[in-house]
């Protein structure tokens, strides 16, 4: 997203931020479509580059693609049948978000120095291998809550709040207002 | 939650934090159970005191009550048929979270000084009155994402990351670990 130069980012704005990808393991296409859509959109809005989705869900990927087309940027949902392959191939720390892990606060300084970070969230049943294969098992609070919240807050702590600028290729741009809605449409670039 | 004294909270730890409530408007009991459950659990985990839910959903409230019973604290889901009444009766700033509003960063200093804050999130269709009746319409990024993410990130910016301490009355307490899971059970107090 083209917001890295925004003045509204905190500390993170003064130095390079890691490029963050998200991996969702154990998605249930029939049961989780809305929740996983929220996860993908939150990942996109808070600056992730892509979300790997195991197993693939082409309908969900298409819905998110349509949103990304209107609102800009290059975020995509990438289906995969083999989450271990994604984890093993990743060239940076792999951070499994789990309430059982160590506190996010402890791990943040190390993550902030990385060039790339993979945030992994499990579904209802987390494969035990995920704890072993991850570089860090990290808790965003040691209480049950939501993978959507865990990914959003981790991204926000790593990259700062999203700035007001829309991506360059956005077709729709919000004009922030104290009351009501205002959206500007941009012509498609040829 | 009994985490206010935790050393892992940021800036917010050195002064009084606002007491935050959440109001979810336009819940659809048949369609949104999982998403609204995630919203309630995220609100609880990030330090909200309660979540008002319009319309009421007794089954959902009971599920969340069972989680809060195990994990401690006094968070509750309070059903209401009249969201305007909740907004009008609230004795503090009412913050409608909407991608069309002004940036969270701008409003945060004012919210941090409040004694109580009500965060309001709409469902699929947001009643136009909500924009008018709220003290602030606030965007956590001007991109579509998730009410779960918006509430979690706003709470985190207001109150800091949840500390490692469990509430005093928790029956289950996580012992943070770099690998795997460890949970301690506490006897019920009489």
């Amino acid at each position: 997203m083209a917001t890295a130069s925004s003045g509204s980012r905190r500390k993170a704005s003064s130095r390079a931020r890691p490029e963050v990808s998200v991996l969702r393991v154990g998605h249930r296409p029939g049961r989780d479509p809305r929740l996983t859509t929220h996860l993908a959109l939150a990942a996109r809005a808070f600056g992730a580059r892509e979300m790997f989705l195991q197993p693939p869900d082409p309908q969900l990927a298409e819905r998110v693609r349509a949103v990304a087309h209107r609102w800009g940027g290059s975020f995509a949902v990438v289906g995969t049948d083999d989450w271990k392959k994604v984890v093993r191939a990743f060239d940076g720390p792999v951070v499994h978000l789990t309430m059982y892990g160590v506190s996010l606060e402890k791990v943040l300084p190390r993550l902030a120095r990385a060039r790339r970070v993979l945030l992994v969230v499990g579904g209802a049943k987390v494969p035990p291998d995920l704890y072993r294969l991850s570089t860090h098992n990290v808790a965003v609070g040691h209480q049950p809550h939501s993978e959507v919240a865990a990914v959003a807050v981790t991204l926000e702590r790593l990259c700062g709040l999203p700035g007001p600028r829309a991506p360059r290729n956005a077709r729709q741009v919000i004009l922030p207002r104290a009351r009501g809605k205002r959206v500007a449409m941009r012509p498609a670039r040829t």
Side-chain angles (χ1 to χ4, degrees), chain A:
Chain A
M1 291 178 65
T3 49
S5 62
S6 156
S8 75
R9 288 191 182 274
R10 291 174 299 161
K11 227 172 168 186
S13 64
S14 55
R15 54 169 168 68
R17 302 181 292 123
E19 189 180 84
V20 182
S21 300
V22 173
L23 163 62
R24 152 67 126 189
V25 174
H27 168 63
R28 295 167 301 181
R31 243 202 111 186
D32 299 332
R34 298 193 64 223
L35 210 50
T36 304
T37 302
H38 278 232
L39 182 67
L41 294 179
R44 176 185 170 276
F46 287 92
R49 159 202 171 118
E50 71 213 326
M51 183 173 94
F52 300 103
L53 182 57
Q54 181 275 326
D57 184 337
Q59 283 187 307
L60 187 149
E62 174 51 33
R63 275 202 306 279
V64 173
R65 202 199 59 77
V67 172
H69 180 70
R70 284 200 300 282
W71 296 97
S74 57
F75 182 88
V77 173
V78 181
T80 176
D81 282 309
D82 188 349
W83 67 264
K84 289 185 188 177
K85 202 170 154 185
V86 175
V87 164
R88 287 188 173 124
F90 196 79
D91 58 340
V94 174
V95 179
H96 173 213
L97 297 175
T98 162
M99 66 196 273
Y100 301 101
V102 299
S103 293
L104 174 60
E105 203 90 60
K106 285 195 183 170
V107 181
L108 267 175
R110 255 178 293 178
L111 302 185
R113 285 194 299 270
R115 205 171 52 80
R116 295 193 64 195
V117 172
L118 179 66
L119 302 180
V120 189
V121 287
K125 285 186 187 174
V126 174
D129 278 353
L130 185 48
Y131 290 91
R132 193 174 52 80
L133 293 174
S134 300
T135 319
H136 305 286
N137 291 281
V138 169
V140 185
H142 302 282
Q143 295 285 322
H145 56 94
S146 172
E147 56 270 41
V148 182
V151 162
V153 167
T154 305
L155 274 165
E156 191 271 329
R157 290 302 302 269
L158 270 176
C159 308
L161 279 171
R165 269 188 233 171
R168 284 193 183 188
N169 61 344
R171 301 276 181 93
Q172 288 182 220
V173 175
I174 285 176
L175 306 175
R177 279 168 79 83
R179 307 269 164 221
K181 304 178 186 184
R182 189 175 269 178
V183 179
M185 306 304 282
R186 286 184 186 160
R189 300 193 175 200
T190 50

